[in-house]
Amino acid sequence: MIGMDTLYDAEGVVAYALVFILAAVPWIELLVVIPPGIALGLDPLAVALLAFSGNLATVYLLVYAHHSLNSVWKRFRMGEEHRPSSGKKKKVMNIWDRYGLPGLALISPIITGTHFAALIALGLGSKKYPIVLWMSLSILMWTIVVTVASYYGLESLKHLLE
C-alpha cells in the first residue's frame, strides 16, 4: 500500500506523482502531504499544485458520482429498517443550520476531510454546484495556507539551526 513512507523513499517524478496520489486519498489529503513534500526538498509550487489537484479531483469524482452511489446504497438498504439516532441527527442539523455549506467546506480538512464533508453536504441535500464551488475554495485556501506555513516554517527552522 502506498503511504507516507513511500513518499519519503521516492525521488524525482515518482515523488511528485505520489504527492498527487496521496492528496487524493481520503484522510491523508493535502494537510498531511504538503509539509513532508516540501521538507523533502520538492518544489513548493509543484507540491501545492499537485496536492490541490489530487484532492480536488477525488472530491469532484465523489460529488458527480453521488447519484450512482446513492442508488446503490438505497438498493442495499431495501428491506432494512433504519432509524438514525435522533440525538446525533439533531447535532448534525444544528451544525449545518448554524454554519451551512461554507462552514462545513472551510473546516472540513481539519475535522472530517474534504471527501467525507462533500458526502455529508450531498446527504443533507445540497446541490452539486455549490458543493463543488465551496469545496474548491476551501481546498485552495488550505493549500495556500499549508504550503506557505510549511515553506516558511522550514526556512525558519533552517535559519535557527545554522
Side-chain angles (χ1 to χ4, degrees):
M1 180 166 167
I2 297 174
M4 292 306 293
D5 291 338
T6 310
L7 178 61
Y8 292 125
D9 296 335
E11 294 179 14
V13 175
V14 173
Y16 288 104
L18 286 172
V19 167
F20 178 85
I21 292 167
L22 291 170
V25 174
W27 291 289
I28 294 180
E29 303 193 26
L30 55 92
L31 294 180
V32 180
V33 174
I34 292 173
I38 292 173
L40 290 171
L42 300 176
D43 178 68
L45 182 59
V47 168
L49 291 173
L50 290 166
F52 173 79
S53 301
N55 195 246
L56 196 61
T58 50
V59 168
Y60 279 22
L61 180 67
L62 281 172
V63 169
Y64 289 106
H66 178 259
H67 179 70
S68 299
L69 294 172
N70 198 26
S71 64
V72 168
W73 177 250
K74 284 180 181 177
R75 275 184 289 189
F76 176 74
R77 297 298 309 253
M78 285 181 74
E80 286 185 34
E81 188 175 323
H82 178 70
R83 289 185 213 152
S85 165
S86 62
K88 287 182 183 179
K89 185 176 180 181
K90 191 173 185 176
K91 283 181 185 178
V92 169
M93 292 311 296
N94 284 340
I95 292 170
W96 184 254
D97 290 341
R98 182 175 226 170
Y99 303 108
L101 179 58
L104 177 64
L106 293 173
I107 198 76
S108 67
I110 296 172
I111 303 296
T112 63
T114 55
H115 302 90
F116 190 59
L119 291 175
I120 290 171
L122 286 163
L124 291 172
S126 290
K127 304 272 187 233
K128 289 179 187 178
Y129 178 75
I131 294 171
V132 166
L133 174 68
W134 281 104
M135 295 308 287
S136 297
L137 291 172
S138 172
I139 293 169
L140 178 63
M141 180 198 76
W142 281 102
T143 298
I144 292 168
V145 168
V146 173
T147 301
V148 169
S150 298
Y151 179 78
Y152 286 109
L154 185 62
E155 289 301 311
S156 297
L157 187 59
K158 285 179 185 177
H159 289 299
L160 286 174
L161 295 176
E162 289 178 352

